[in-house]
Amino acid sequence: MDDLLWIGPALLAGIGAARLGLPPMVGYLLCGFVLNFSGVYDDDRLRMIGDLGVTLLLFTIGLKLDLRSLLRPVIWAGTTLHTAIVVAVFGTFLYWLSLAGIQAFAGIDIGKAMLIGFALSFSSTVFAVKTLEDKGEYRTKYGKTAIGDLIIQDVFALVFLAASSGKLPSAWALGLLLLIPMRYVLMQLMNRAGHSGELQILYGIALAYGGYALFDAVDVKGDLGALIIGAMMAAHPLAGEVSKRLLGFKDLLLVGFFLSIGMSGELSVSAMMVAVLLTALVVFKVVLFIVLFTRFKLRARTATLSSLTLANYSEFGLIVGAIAVSNAWLSEDWLVTIALALTLTIIIAAPVNMRAVRLYKRMRPSIRKFETEDLLPEDEPPDLGDAKIAVIGMGPLGEGVYDQLAPDYGDALVGVDADPDVVAHHGAEGR
């Protein structure tokens, strides 16, 4: 019965946020603050549930990891530069505020300021993926760019997670290299699970938490193990299916994480004021993304839509903040402040992303000034030649319309789709 004390309020808060056009996670965060204020629930169990959710989140990210896409300079170099600049600028700014004698920033030395800047350098993977899926633009050029950027950010976070334990891995950690030949066995076991829903769920959970336990046993951060095991299985044809099967479990467990963040400290006027300031700094992150993406020869449109998808703070920033608090590097007030800033940025980013194309059209004359003369070949505007009719969206319906028109219009007809796999399929069919 005790669980009803958080499941019921979380459900109502999530529904309320969804009715306002916001991601349910915003409702969960706010609900955590309410539960903390009421004092009716002990957050120890929620923290445990949240930890399980984070592990499953990292495993499913690993299942989607396409290492080839991460090798493009716009992804790995652009993200690295963005992170370094944000950490330096945000950290320096916060340190100056502490030197100015502002009470809310008292005791923030340069090291703590840079740590806060690092936590704020991430963008929300959960928000971006959900937004792209809702808009049906997960496989667009800008969607892939945003997701690639988030994966590199996640790698940075995992390096921090691995180093944050404060102790060296044991000598037995070398035995983790045996996972390389074991990959074949794990792949074969996934084949045996086949398309059975319950077997895929059981196997995915076993891999995620088994990887966590294995790495943790040799004094390596368990979360890193979950991601690595997931990445090892990413090439399997059933990896995407397993990820979808685990989606509901992951989302449910992450509710505990978001609630526990809201319950991690006392809400104060000072925390709210600092959170509002941090929210305003997101504008710098967005502008910097646009500048860097266009420097790497993306079109202004692609750069802008990708940057708006990343216009928020991240649940990984909360994880970094939680670790910093547990190691006494930061006070609990800062974790609450980062949680509030995350909530505010998502509240703002949700409606902005629903109107992203319209916003770009308004800003296009100014933003196109950042474009380079030579664009990436894969981001060049399509040449439709002498086509007079375009079928936009070549799914089953678009394919039927195309085939119906093809005998009469021939070369004057062209199909357009954002998914490269769909384009390749129809190209092979002669369309």
Side-chain angles (χ1 to χ4, degrees):
M1 289 295 293
D2 287 347
D3 287 331
L4 292 177
L5 294 175
W6 69 267
I7 293 176
L11 174 62
L12 294 176
I15 291 174
R19 293 283 292 178
L20 295 172
L22 300 171
M25 63 181 284
V26 174
Y28 306 147
L29 284 165
L30 294 175
C31 182
F33 291 120
V34 173
L35 288 175
N36 184 42
F37 180 76
S38 68
V40 298
Y41 194 81
D42 183 2
D43 68 336
D44 287 342
R45 188 180 303 179
L46 281 177
R47 289 182 187 275
M48 180 186 69
I49 294 171
D51 289 343
L52 294 173
V54 170
T55 299
L56 211 53
L57 170 66
L58 297 175
F59 174 71
T60 55
I61 288 173
L63 287 177
K64 299 175 183 177
L65 203 57
D66 182 2
L67 295 178
R68 294 170 299 176
S69 68
L70 304 183
L71 298 178
R72 294 185 298 145
V74 67
I75 300 298
W76 68 265
T79 307
T80 302
L81 284 171
H82 188 274
T83 300
I85 294 171
V86 168
V87 171
V89 171
F90 282 23
T92 302
F93 177 67
L94 294 174
Y95 181 56
W96 283 350
L97 291 177
S98 72
L99 293 179
I102 300 175
Q103 183 60 35
F105 300 92
I108 298 297
D109 57 26
I110 188 64
K112 291 179 180 179
M114 293 297 172
L115 181 58
I116 296 169
F118 180 65
L120 298 175
S121 68
F122 301 97
S123 298
S124 174
T125 302
V126 174
F127 175 81
V129 171
K130 182 63 175 172
T131 299
L132 292 170
E133 287 179 344
D134 288 347
K135 295 164 67 176
E137 298 178 353
Y138 191 90
R139 295 184 63 87
T140 59
K141 179 66 179 178
Y142 91 84
K144 287 185 174 182
T145 300
I147 294 300
D149 183 280
L150 289 165
I151 290 173
I152 296 296
Q153 288 185 359
D154 295 346
V155 171
F156 294 157
L158 289 167
V159 171
F160 176 82
L161 290 175
S164 63
S165 60
K167 56 183 179 181
L168 293 174
S170 74
W172 291 102
L174 293 173
L176 295 175
L177 294 175
L178 294 175
L179 287 173
I180 297 175
M182 276 292 293
R183 179 174 179 269
Y184 174 79
V185 177
L186 298 177
M187 289 284 200
Q188 291 303 310
L189 285 173
M190 187 172 282
N191 287 334
R192 298 295 183 270
H195 295 279
S196 169
E198 60 268 30
L199 289 179
Q200 286 186 351
I201 291 171
L202 285 172
Y203 191 51
I205 290 175
L207 286 174
Y209 297 121
Y212 182 102
L214 182 63
F215 275 61
D216 187 62
V218 293
D219 296 332
V220 179
K221 203 70 176 177
D223 295 316
L224 183 62
L227 180 100
I228 289 176
I229 294 294
M232 288 173 56
M233 307 299 293
H236 197 285
L238 294 176
E241 203 171 317
V242 172
S243 179
K244 290 180 181 177
R245 300 279 190 193
L246 295 174
L247 184 62
F249 291 91
K250 178 194 71 178
D251 289 346
L252 176 62
L253 294 172
L254 282 174
V255 172
F257 173 75
F258 292 122
L259 288 173
S260 66
I261 292 300
M263 298 179 69
S264 60
E266 295 296 330
L267 190 60
S268 64
V269 174
S270 175
M272 278 294 300
M273 293 176 64
V274 176
V276 170
L277 173 64
L278 297 181
T279 300
L281 292 179
V282 166
V283 175
F284 175 81
K285 288 182 63 174
V286 175
V287 173
L288 182 60
F289 269 128
I290 293 174
V291 172
L292 290 174
F293 285 155
T294 52
R295 294 310 88 203
F296 284 97
K297 303 181 180 180
L298 285 183
R299 279 195 298 159
R301 183 182 187 277
T302 305
T304 302
L305 297 182
S306 299
S307 300
L308 290 176
T309 306
L310 302 169
N312 47 63
Y313 295 125
S314 170
E315 58 278 0
F316 271 112
L318 293 178
I319 295 170
V320 170
I323 291 172
V325 170
S326 66
N327 289 333
W329 299 334
L330 293 174
S331 66
E332 286 191 351
D333 290 343
W334 273 104
L335 183 57
V336 176
T337 300
I338 294 172
L340 280 169
L342 166 63
T343 304
L344 292 173
T345 55
I346 289 179
I347 288 172
I348 295 170
V352 166
N353 274 274
M354 296 305 294
R355 299 167 179 82
V357 174
R358 276 181 281 174
L359 287 172
Y360 169 70
K361 288 180 179 178
R362 292 180 183 177
M363 299 183 294
R364 179 165 50 190
S366 300
I367 296 179
R368 289 199 65 177
K369 296 176 182 178
F370 291 99
E371 272 190 1
T372 56
E373 291 186 8
D374 53 327
L375 300 173
L376 290 176
E378 64 267 26
D379 202 32
E380 289 275 6
D383 181 8
L384 302 183
D386 297 325
K388 305 298 183 185
I389 300 174
V391 179
I392 309 297
M394 289 295 290
L397 179 60
E399 180 180 337
V401 172
Y402 185 102
D403 290 343
Q404 192 74 20
L405 296 173
D408 297 325
Y409 294 96
D411 291 340
L413 175 68
V414 65
V416 180
D417 199 281
D419 189 333
D421 293 336
V422 173
V423 173
H425 165 72
H426 289 298
E429 293 290 323
R431 297 186 181 89

